[in-house]
Amino acid sequence: ITFGSIFLGNVPVHEEVHRCAGQIYGYKGCVRDFQVNNKELFIIDEALGGKNVENCNVPICDYHPCHNGGTCTSDAENWFCECPKLYSGKLCQFATCDENPCGNGATCFPKSRRDAVCLCPYGRSGILCSDAINISQPSFSGTDVFGYTSFLAYSTIPHITFYYEFRLKFQLANHYSALQDNLIFFTGQKGQGLNGDDFLELGLRNGRVVYSYNLGSGTATIISKPLDLTLNIHVIHLGRYLQKGWLKVDDQKNKTVTSPGRLVGLNVFSQFYLGGYREYTPELLPKGSRFKNSFQGCIFDVQVRTSMNQEFKSPGTPEGHPSSGRSVGQCKDSPCSLIKCRNGGKCIESGSTVYCDCLPGWKGAFCTETVSVCEPEHDPPHLCKQGGTCVPLPKGYTCHCPLGTTGTYCEQG
């Protein structure tokens, strides 16, 4: 690559080059950053010319993106960080919950450096997930601001290999985002099959129902017509026998599809996920089934059978009982009706998970604690420089300066 008279990687054959000894070879490898006299040159955008330069596909884990001792795992498609016990976030960047206040197996997540949010498991609600709730019609809240989805997980559906039928009803949340890219249910895993992953999924994309399955030799997909949003309740009936699948939505005509390749059996071993998924990010799901958000609204009357001679029944062992879940509430019930946030704080609900979003200057579970002028959350932040320690006073603060510095804010050497 040529930058004026600067050559990166090799020199053109027509340039005169003083050779000390032997043959000159061009550089083989990847260059990430290029800087001359403290000025960064953008390797591709500012180049005047070049030859035989390709995009560098260095695995992301080679850049060590995970913080705080997290372990990076990647394959040809994606990557993620496995975090140590006290850290969370996509990059393990959040120091979390040393003194975990959450009860009943809730997921503790840091709202700030000092306050945590409890993402409640199935059957629990409240600030600390201490309240038991009865769920007969589960309500899902999509993907929360921390990147987690609400979901229910049921035991693996047996005998689904060659034949299955599903029936369910759903009611959408009154949000534009509820129609855009939302998972209804999913079962499957990565790394199975000859030309892809075995999976079965149902979701919403751009206001249409999307039904897909992969038997290991390619994905078959049916997309419905746009949903009639004047309907309060939507009804779905779908199925598959060997390679042939079908989908019927509300009063729309039945649609069919035949999966590619020769394979006829669906080999899935994962749990049956309703509304969302356990993983932190959809990139961990098989290729082709990465709905970005979980469902927003209520899903109920889910039934399945794996033979034409069977009766329909609810998933789970025992029947109708999920094995786990997160941030799932009861349809039409608001957990915020039981919470009163103080000092202008706003109650935020995500399924059964609920917390107070505090105005600047306030913190705590109910926004009842003041933020000290010296705390990181204070707006504006203190002005102590060069490692100076902020010490609060009755009116304002002062900076205790380390050795070798002076001034009101330790700004002088």
Side-chain angles (χ1 to χ4, degrees):
I1 295 179
T2 309
F3 297 88
S5 59
I6 300 175
F7 301 100
L8 183 63
N10 200 357
V11 294
V13 294
H14 63 269
E15 297 289 335
E16 293 185 5
V17 180
H18 297 285
R19 305 184 183 188
C20 295
Q23 186 175 356
I24 293 180
Y25 294 94
Y27 174 73
K28 293 183 179 180
C30 299
V31 178
R32 289 183 60 191
D33 301 304
F34 185 39
Q35 185 172 305
V36 178
N37 294 334
N38 295 321
K39 180 178 185 285
E40 182 180 4
L41 296 178
F42 296 95
I43 294 178
I44 298 300
D45 294 346
E46 296 188 32
L48 301 178
K51 186 177 181 181
N52 297 328
V53 179
E54 298 178 351
N55 193 39
C56 186
N57 292 316
V58 177
I60 189 68
C61 287
D62 288 0
Y63 296 128
H64 307 292
C66 306
H67 300 183
N68 298 306
T71 302
C72 185
T73 301
S74 68
D75 57 24
E77 299 173 20
N78 50 66
W79 63 276
F80 63 98
C81 296
E82 295 182 18
C83 301
K85 185 176 181 181
L86 297 179
Y87 294 90
S88 66
K90 184 174 177 62
L91 303 178
C92 306
Q93 70 271 40
F94 297 115
T96 160
C97 304
D98 294 358
E99 300 176 359
N100 187 350
C102 307
N104 299 296
T107 302
C108 182
F109 198 90
K111 186 174 67 172
S112 69
R113 294 188 184 184
R114 296 181 182 273
D115 286 339
V117 171
C118 301
L119 308 181
C120 294
Y122 173 73
R124 291 285 172 173
S125 182
I127 292 284
L128 300 178
C129 305
S130 55
D131 302 327
I133 57 172
N134 182 36
I135 298 175
S136 57
Q137 293 186 347
S139 172
F140 302 88
S141 52
T143 303
D144 63 27
V145 296
F146 310 111
Y148 288 93
T149 67
S150 60
F151 75 90
L152 290 178
Y154 297 84
S155 57
T156 303
I157 298 175
H159 314 302
I160 201 174
T161 306
F162 300 113
Y163 182 93
Y164 59 74
E165 276 186 85
F166 286 88
R167 297 191 306 204
L168 61 90
K169 299 174 183 177
F170 67 84
Q171 184 178 25
L172 289 167
N174 189 23
H175 304 301
Y176 171 79
S177 59
L179 290 164
Q180 299 312 302
D181 198 358
N182 308 83
L183 184 67
I184 297 176
F185 71 61
F186 165 81
T187 183
Q189 60 281 320
K190 295 177 69 64
Q192 305 293 330
L194 300 177
N195 188 31
D197 312 295
D198 281 32
F199 65 81
L200 160 65
E201 65 167 350
L202 182 70
L204 293 169
R205 198 166 267 141
N206 299 322
R208 302 168 185 259
V209 176
V210 179
Y211 163 42
S212 296
Y213 57 92
N214 190 334
L215 308 181
S217 55
T219 301
T221 300
I222 303 176
I223 302 176
S224 76
K225 292 181 179 180
L227 290 174
D228 180 357
L229 299 183
T230 64
L231 298 175
N232 186 38
I233 304 292
H234 299 277
V235 180
I236 294 180
H237 184 195
L238 63 87
R240 179 190 65 87
Y241 174 59
L242 301 179
Q243 291 178 293
K244 185 176 180 180
W246 65 91
L247 170 70
K248 180 165 177 51
V249 178
D250 296 331
D251 293 327
Q252 298 180 17
K253 290 185 178 180
N254 191 60
K255 285 191 169 187
T256 61
V257 71
T258 301
S259 61
R262 298 183 178 181
L263 299 181
V264 298
L266 177 68
N267 300 303
V268 294
F269 317 110
S270 77
Q271 293 181 305
F272 177 75
Y273 290 97
L274 186 67
Y277 36 85
R278 182 185 303 277
E279 292 84 357
Y280 176 79
T281 169
E283 279 71 26
L284 304 185
L285 300 176
K287 188 176 181 180
S289 59
R290 295 173 187 163
F291 286 91
K292 293 180 181 178
N293 300 304
S294 72
F295 187 79
Q296 297 179 48
C298 302
I299 305 175
F300 45 93
D301 294 348
V302 181
Q303 295 184 313
V304 60
R305 68 179 181 181
T306 54
S307 168
M308 292 185 66
N309 300 322
Q310 277 184 349
E311 292 185 357
F312 281 92
K313 64 178 185 178
S314 301
T317 305
E319 182 182 346
H321 287 73
S323 53
S324 63
R326 178 176 59 222
S327 297
V328 175
Q330 170 68 0
C331 192
K332 298 182 180 179
D333 282 355
S334 171
C336 277
S337 63
L338 305 175
I339 300 299
K340 188 174 179 69
C341 303
R342 306 291 182 176
N343 299 304
K346 181 181 179 182
C347 183
I348 304 295
E349 60 181 74
S350 180
S352 61
T353 295
V354 59
Y355 63 94
C356 291
D357 187 24
C358 304
L359 290 177
W362 297 95
K363 64 177 184 175
F366 298 96
C367 306
T368 54
E369 304 170 42
T370 57
V371 176
S372 164
V373 68
C374 289
E375 292 185 50
E377 296 90 345
H378 191 270
D379 186 18
H382 67 78
L383 299 176
C384 299
K385 308 293 184 184
Q386 305 190 77
T389 302
C390 178
V391 178
L393 299 174
K395 291 185 179 181
Y397 63 95
T398 186
C399 298
H400 284 186
C401 300
L403 188 66
T405 65
T406 186
T408 304
Y409 304 114
C410 311
E411 73 277 13
Q412 301 175 20

